[in-house]
Amino acid sequence: MEGKKEPIVLDVNHMMSDIVGFQYGVDAGEVEMMKDAARAAQAAVENNRGKGWLGWMDLPFNQTAIVEKIEKVAADVRARFDAFIVLGIGGSALGPIAVQQALNHQRWNDLPAEKRGGPKFYVEDNIDPERMASLLDVIDVKRSCFNIITKSGATAETMSQYLIISDLLKKEVGEGWQKHIIATTDSERGNLIQLARQEGFELFFIPDGVGGRFSELSPVGLLPAAVCGIDIRAMLEGAAAMDRRCKSGDVWKNPALLEAVLQYIAMEDSHANVQVVMPYADSLKFMADWFCQLWAESLGKNVTRKGMAVNNGQTPTKALGVTDQHSQLQLYTEGPYDKVITFLKVGTFRSEVAIAHGCEAFPDVAFLGGKSLNQLIDAELRGTEYALYSAGRMSQTITLPEVNAYTIGQLLCFFEMATAYAGELLDVDAFNQPGVENSKLASYAVLGNTSPKYLRKAAEMKDRPELLKKYLL
Ligand code: PA5
């Protein structure tokens, strides 16, 4: 898919007090006061490029050989299979979902095979038994390729799916079942790498320093995208272009840095503890999900890097324009002053749909005739922005001139950089997720795993107060 290689634009007018009013907006003076902190945050991220958990910063630049291999394997998958199924969760699933939804036909799986030119695409990022059963109702495993994605190579959800699918493949395909599995995992750690080597699966590595939620531009996202015919080189090129815009330590020249600083001020000074990402385009709907994980898991921490107790983070949530104007907007305009709304706007949609003339006897309906859905969605975005403005609420708009691989690459990189900078400003480790680990340990303890760490967790869980019948209705 060819697309215009134009920059995405961050418009923060409606964040600023000189536009939305002094009571709730961010004062430009506050940004000035944070200039040094912003410069230090940018330098800290930049100086550690490629080190520790900042390996993801190199992904737009260091994957020439891997891109070639991905394209080769993707071509083979496109030729051999009717369905391509990602088995993964969290950072190993949200990116592939978001990119596929953004860049491919929105009813990809419903298209006739010759129009798709590639397999149907599924991402199974939950272990709901009904969902797995229903997947097995609609795919033919003998004609399916499964991409098992897990950085740790140990995630219970993904490895359970692996057990189910490999068992089915052995039964239904028999000899050569291994050719239906592609593993994407760490090159050394975890069980999946050992299984992959033992069984001889096609293998892709998630490089060192690339955590789950920062992995979309690694084989985690590139292989599924390439299988669906997406131009992964343009995606990486877009990310590289955004990376160049992030070279500046000047908050007014680096969009991701400005984003981090404004959200930081919004959180600290205006108690805007919620950020609603609201794309006005179905194609960007799951970009909001991907962002929510990135922002939440990276910044929601109870300790600073120096060990001070805090409860940091801004709750990201998603809405879809215009759909949620009829569901959430009432709250956004009149509810608590605790939110920033981030619109994702599309400059030019890939389709134009005219609204037919008619209903002349009903002037308000007839008025719509002769306009287009494109005009209507644009007008509704402007209307919502205005409604928030008049209610003194903060919003900002990220415009993608069009949705293509290049602009999506920029958007991914923009949010990743903003998250890394925000981690610096909040002084938290943006790359771990200890709060998630506790739940994993507790689940295994509940299942009765007898390894010492699970037994310890089971004992700890017994200390919880007895649940009371009076609270059961
Ligand atoms: O961002 C993260 O690291 C997590 O959300 C992981 O992606 C998620 O827990 C899945 O982990 P894994 O890829 O190891 O299966």
Side-chain angles (χ1 to χ4, degrees), residues 388-439:
L388 290 168
Y389 153 80
S390 14
R393 311 299 167 126
M394 288 183 282
S395 74
Q396 55 177 359
T397 302
I398 301 167
T399 302
L400 284 70
E402 67 180 25
V403 178
N404 62 42
Y406 185 79
T407 55
I408 289 298
Q410 290 180 67
L411 189 65
L412 293 167
C413 180
F414 166 80
F415 279 134
E416 288 176 350
M417 296 297 280
T419 304
Y421 297 147
E424 288 294 325
L425 295 173
L426 291 166
D427 189 25
V428 294
D429 182 342
F431 305 105
N432 64 4
Q433 52 282 330
V436 180
E437 290 305 315
N438 197 20
S439 141

Side-chain angles (χ1 to χ4, degrees), residues 76-85 119 122 135-146 164-181:
D76 180 54
V77 169
R78 285 161 74 80
R80 284 201 298 134
F81 296 107
D82 295 340
F84 182 80
I85 299 112
Y122 303 90
L135 173 78
L136 299 176
D137 282 341
V138 298
I139 61 165
D140 174 358
V141 290
K142 294 198 279 306
R143 303 275 314 146
S144 300
C145 177
F146 298 87
I164 295 165
I165 293 300
S166 56
D167 179 58
L168 264 180
L169 285 169
K170 283 176 202 165
K171 286 180 183 144
E172 296 203 18
V173 176
E175 200 182 328
W177 66 274
Q178 296 91 338
K179 299 261 169 270
H180 291 246
I181 292 189

Side-chain angles (χ1 to χ4, degrees), residues 276-299:
V276 182
V277 177
M278 189 169 189
Y280 269 68
D282 278 50
S283 61
L284 300 176
K285 183 174 171 176
F286 297 115
M287 274 291 158
D289 285 89
W290 172 83
F291 166 77
C292 284
Q293 187 219 8
L294 183 70
W295 200 245
E297 232 174 47
S298 301
L299 305 181

Side-chain angles (χ1 to χ4, degrees), residues 89-92 150-153 155 158 212-213 293 297 433 440:
I89 197 163
S92 294
T150 163
K151 169 79 177 174
S152 63
T155 301
T158 308
R213 55 192 176 274
Q293 187 219 8
E297 232 174 47
Q433 52 282 330
K440 283 188 196 167

